[in-house]
Amino acid sequence: MKFYYFGLMPYGPLDLDYDKKYSSASLVLPNSYFNPKEGNKLYRRYLDELELADALGYDGVCVNEHHQTAYGLMPSPGVIAGALARTTTQAKIAVLGRALPLVNNPLTIAEEYAMIDNISGGRLISGFVRGIGVEYHATGVNPAFSLERFQEAHDLIIEAWTKTGPFPFEGDHYHFEYVNTWPRPFQQPHPPVWIPSQGSEETIRWASEPTRKYVYLNTYSPFEAVSTFFQMYRDIAEKEWNYEASGEQLGWAVPIYVGETDEIALKEAKPHIEAFYNKFLRMTNEMLLPPGYTTLKSMKKIAEAKREMLSGGREISRLMDNRMFICGSPNTVQEILGECHDQVGLEHIVCTLQFGTLPHELTVKNLELFSKEVMPQLR
Amino acid sequence: MATQDNHQLEIYDAMVHISRGGSGQTLLLLHGAGGSANLKELASKLAEDFDVLLPDHPGFGLSDQSKRLSSVSDLAFYYLDFIQELGLKDIHLVGFSLGGWIAAEIAIRSTTNVKSIALVSSAGIHVKGVPKGDPFLWSPEELVRNLYVNQDIINDILSQEPTSEELEFMVKNRVAAARYAWHPRFYNPDLEKWLHRIDVPTLIIWGDQDKIFPVEYASAFKNLIPHAQTQILKDCGHVPHMDQPEAFYHSLKSFLSETNS
């Protein structure tokens, strides 16, 4: 198994009572809640933690893109990835990922990724995502065309990396007379592609297609759902594409906390993981799922259930039961991850070792304990 | 009340649904983002004096989504083809909200077969500095509370569980509305440049308490279509035919009789 360190870079000093006045820490939460002095300290701290992960021997360090929110301060992940390309030495640099449909010129993403790949000497993992629903409110991009734009922007970027330019690209959403990307990526024919997603059959079919065979990275789902989606990947690969999918094509992003004992881990992690799921990720269904972002069928199901998907009220014990959070002594965490590996045969674990309000000292302890007492046994 | 019959029409790559009834001059009702359901009663009533057509726009209600159509400008050309296909003449166009926007887009292109147009709480333009409501961000309950002023209507809707079919239409209508109107939100920046081309009698009807397009939008339309008559209804939200059915019906009927005389 391979281990990648990831944190969303949340605005830790957030006043957690914000939800008495606002329905979400995204889109509608005034940016007066952000204090730039804290921002300066936070970015430096989070970079230190990513660099520490490289020094501790993690296989990769990860960043991602979110807009107009307190739960992730990387609207432009290339800034962080660019810094890491110079200050880290061995870890892969995974951008998980850039939100393709949200831009009107995806070539800027082909260029940015190629720069990071060149500076880092070929350590880039290029993640492509659709962006979460609320970002279609934040950018004005029409969610009804999200999937079409995603697939077309992807085709454009791959062509820009692999075909000799200049050439025209003639799409429905993107049309360029001259595609001739400088620099070309360091890794040939192009950097590995990962598709982070909550999971849908359409996405999995597309990612597993034989010319792609991309890594499907499930993010923050209950393990039962993760396991279902991984099986779906294997089944589609076998039945529709006639090949056997390997564990190298499967990844799982999950928050993890390791303490000296189960009790210590639980006590230290509780307020921070609950803040992450209940306060930072909180949003209304209308923000999370704008019309057209998902299929009609799943929109109807959600309307029928009348359930707010991310309205909070999640307890640490419930999060641990369905493995949306893994927490305990090194032994416990190692056993759980070993079990998950044996059950579904996944090879990539994106360990969210900083979440919500978890402070620097505990993040460092978590990073160290995980790398020294969990990782070696599972490699 | 006259009965409405259901018709289907194949146009481009899509099958569209029209309910039609009554006889007399042609009246084409163009529904808003919420779909045609809340116009059925009005359609039946108007069918006592008119040949009333109430189509589901492509993508809404019982109509398929045509892949060809992705903007309200497209819908305008679609309706010009629709009018030609059905051989409609001397049409009174009555458009509600999103449907008002469609009516305006049709009329700036051609009024050859159009006798009059009525714009009810119409989308289509943007008035700088006048904040609009955002139905895409409201919860289903907030939407109901913001659409209507009449508390009885609000209580009535909120006390009813939608059926499975109604839920399906709600979801489908929401997706179609987003397809046509997500960005720029419910308007076309080019429309206001051409509204002067509307050369048929025009009525602008608005609720004084519209929470989606505040009543300033009525004045803005009036400035852009100087010959238009304006009716502002009191204690009335975004859906005048529900909030103030009698005052609304009276305004529309007197306008239509004037243009007929």
Side-chain angles (χ1 to χ4, degrees), chain A residues 5-10 50 62-64 74 351-355:
Chain A
Y5 168 62
F6 176 49
L8 279 155
M9 294 201 179
L50 286 155
C62 315
V63 296
N64 79 345
M74 287 183 281
C351 320
T352 306
L353 299 172
Q354 196 290 328
F355 39 80

Side-chain angles (χ1 to χ4, degrees), chain A residues 136 140-142 286 300 306, chain B residues 138 161 164 178-179 182-183:
Chain A
Y136 289 78
V141 170
N142 194 328
E286 287 68 35
K300 192 185 166 202
K306 278 194 170 174
Chain B
W138 293 334
E161 271 303 307
S164 173
R179 181 179 176 96
W182 181 268
H183 189 78

Side-chain angles (χ1 to χ4, degrees), chain A residues 27-28 133 136-137 139-145 148 284 286-287 290-292 294-296 299-300 303-304 306 308, chain B residues 69-70 134-140 142 161-162 164-165 167-168 171-172 174-176 178-183 185:
Chain A
L27 193 72
V28 294
Y136 289 78
H137 287 283
T139 58
V141 170
N142 194 328
F145 301 105
E148 289 175 27
T284 65
E286 287 68 35
M287 292 179 194
T294 49
T295 59
L296 283 176
M299 279 182 74
K300 192 185 166 202
E304 274 168 348
K306 278 194 170 174
E308 290 288 338
Chain B
L69 307 172
S70 57
D134 185 358
F136 287 124
L137 207 51
W138 293 334
S139 70
E142 283 170 322
E161 271 303 307
S164 173
E165 195 190 30
L167 263 185
E168 199 167 317
V171 166
K172 192 176 168 191
R174 225 172 141 74
V175 173
R179 181 179 176 96
Y180 297 120
W182 181 268
H183 189 78
R185 192 61 54 91

